[in-house]
Amino acid sequence: MKKLFLLLFLFPLFAVADVYLPAIFSSNMVLQQQSNVTVWGWAQPGERVTVTGSWQSETVSVVTNENAVWKLTITTPKAGGGPYTLSIQGRNKIVLENVLMGEVWLCAGQSNMEWSADHGVKDAKAELPTAYNANIRFFKMPKLTAETPQTDAKGIWTVCDSLTLKRFSAVGYFFGKKLNQSLNVPIGLIDVAWGGSYIESWIPEHLVNLFPNTRTSAETMIPSKGWPRQAGYIYNGMVAPLTPFVIAGALWYQGESNRHYPSTYYQLMHLMVDTWRGAWQKDFPFYYVQIAPFNYRDTTEFKAPAVREMQTRAMDIPKSGMVVITDLVDDLNNIHPVYKKEVGNRLAGWALAETYNQKNGNYKSPQYKSLQVEGNKAIVSFDHAESGLAAKGGPLTEFEVAGADHVFYKAQARIVKNNVVEVTSDKVSQPIAVRFAFRDTPVPNLFNKEGLPAIPFRTDDWKLGR
């Protein structure tokens, strides 16, 4: 009996001493091609760990430090070969199979990034019968929080098929599918979305608290049973464990929850992107989606338009791009538009053009450039409309104009040149400001000739609200 007790007591010690890996390393994974990829894990202190990729003849080894942590770097080849194996040898041996080289993207945000076929996304459901694609791989992370940054998470890499796609981000999938078709390389997608989450939860708490306004925003997050209201908690549990893992770039679809304090969203976006890039030690591209029209029933407060305005301003983040989806909403009373394919395709348009240098026409939405006043006419010029502007379905909608009294009236608008719109109202003899689609539920019909909707805007900087 004593011998049995001793064996049972010692067994966990031997198990802990085995080499093991974080969850982000598993069979079926995609490693970023042509990169120096960090591989790390845990083992007995002082134990030598050797890593071998079947794509190369040499091995790389390192001795585990006193904290039982080992870390080393391997070089990955260009996409096109494989599948490969990755072997990790210490006291025990781990062999990861069916490994591909390709492009790895992080897909983060709240529910509109999280939404999948299982949530009712119609175009994702339509993909299910033909979803199998061995060159698209998913890593779906469960919702995790932590008070401090973690070194491991949960999840496993899977091949895209009708079962795994059901619960995976539809936006992420369609983005990855478009990249796979256009680049002809494997695509790895990491889904770390959390519905309802605030952007503050995706940024380390000490950084959010550095500035009075962002700290106030964090302190006034509205409590909920569905998502954390603590700054940094999602970063610690879901982002920090991934930061040693090499990625090509990140996608972001979030903002609805931050209507509670929209004036800080621009600063928080900069803070988040800078923090993530610093943690990954890589100036990776960051492409995001502007929040969609939705009936919040607080139109007099302009909270949603203010968030969109901050998102537009955040386009000054280097290597970033914003997708506009005012035309992709089927129900203004549903905060989750059920069609995500075009959202993913528009994100892919940015990535293909800016990251992979595959420009196929204009991928940018028309954006307000300048305002000139000629008598009772407000003349608005746009960027990213080189081929011309177009009105879909009738006269232009969603334009408003105001004079010195700051009162806005619905206006008539017409396209007078390739990239110029003339705006007038019988109630404003001397216009000084124009707004376009600047409300919760705009249904604008101004596009460029490539079919991309114009970005909502205002030319004034007047105080918003009642």
Side-chain angles (χ1 to χ4, degrees), residues 1-18 44 91:
M1 180 63 70
K2 287 184 179 180
K3 288 184 178 180
L4 177 60
F5 175 82
L6 183 61
L7 286 172
L8 291 173
F9 177 79
L10 290 176
F11 177 76
L13 296 181
F14 286 114
V16 170
D18 280 350
Q44 179 73 17
R91 181 174 303 205

Side-chain angles (χ1 to χ4, degrees), residues 422-439:
E422 178 187 278
V423 184
T424 60
S425 171
D426 293 341
K427 297 181 179 181
V428 182
S429 59
Q430 291 182 313
I432 63 173
V434 173
R435 291 181 179 177
F436 169 72
F438 201 80
R439 60 190 184 96

Side-chain angles (χ1 to χ4, degrees), residues 4 81 89 96 183 324 336 404 441:
L4 177 60
Q89 177 73 62
L96 306 182
L183 302 175
V324 181
H336 305 117
T441 56

Side-chain angles (χ1 to χ4, degrees), residues 64-78:
T64 308
N65 67 20
E66 69 276 12
N67 297 316
V69 177
W70 57 269
K71 182 185 293 187
L72 51 75
T73 300
I74 60 173
T75 302
T76 55
K78 184 178 180 180

Side-chain angles (χ1 to χ4, degrees), residues 329-408:
V329 178
D330 59 310
D331 180 359
L332 292 171
N333 292 308
N334 183 356
I335 201 169
H336 305 117
V338 296
Y339 296 104
K340 303 297 187 190
K341 181 176 182 178
E342 183 61 20
V343 182
N345 285 345
R346 288 179 186 178
L347 285 166
W350 273 95
L352 289 169
E354 297 285 335
T355 304
Y356 300 110
N357 199 31
Q358 287 195 8
K359 295 184 180 180
N360 184 21
N362 192 7
Y363 53 94
K364 299 179 181 181
S365 281
Q367 184 173 3
Y368 165 73
K369 179 182 180 182
S370 63
L371 171 67
Q372 290 183 321
V373 176
E374 298 176 0
N376 68 336
K377 300 175 181 178
I379 310 299
V380 181
S381 298
F382 291 83
D383 283 326
H384 315 310
E386 294 80 6
S387 299
L389 295 168
K392 289 189 176 181
L396 290 176
T397 61
E398 298 290 347
F399 279 93
E400 298 176 292
V401 66
D405 60 359
H406 291 196
V407 178
F408 280 91

Side-chain angles (χ1 to χ4, degrees), residues 283-355:
D283 191 21
F284 55 72
F286 177 83
Y287 303 122
Y288 60 98
V289 184
Q290 189 177 58
I291 62 172
F294 173 70
N295 185 12
Y296 294 100
R297 297 180 174 84
D298 57 6
T299 54
T300 59
E301 298 183 16
F302 292 99
K303 291 180 178 179
V307 171
R308 294 191 195 105
E309 184 175 55
M310 295 298 103
Q311 291 176 317
T312 300
R313 285 184 57 196
M315 292 176 71
D316 64 1
I317 296 172
K319 294 185 179 180
S320 74
M322 184 181 75
V323 164
V324 181
I325 58 168
T326 51
D327 60 323
L328 301 180
V329 178
D330 59 310
D331 180 359
L332 292 171
N333 292 308
N334 183 356
I335 201 169
H336 305 117
V338 296
Y339 296 104
K340 303 297 187 190
K341 181 176 182 178
E342 183 61 20
V343 182
N345 285 345
R346 288 179 186 178
L347 285 166
W350 273 95
L352 289 169
E354 297 285 335
T355 304

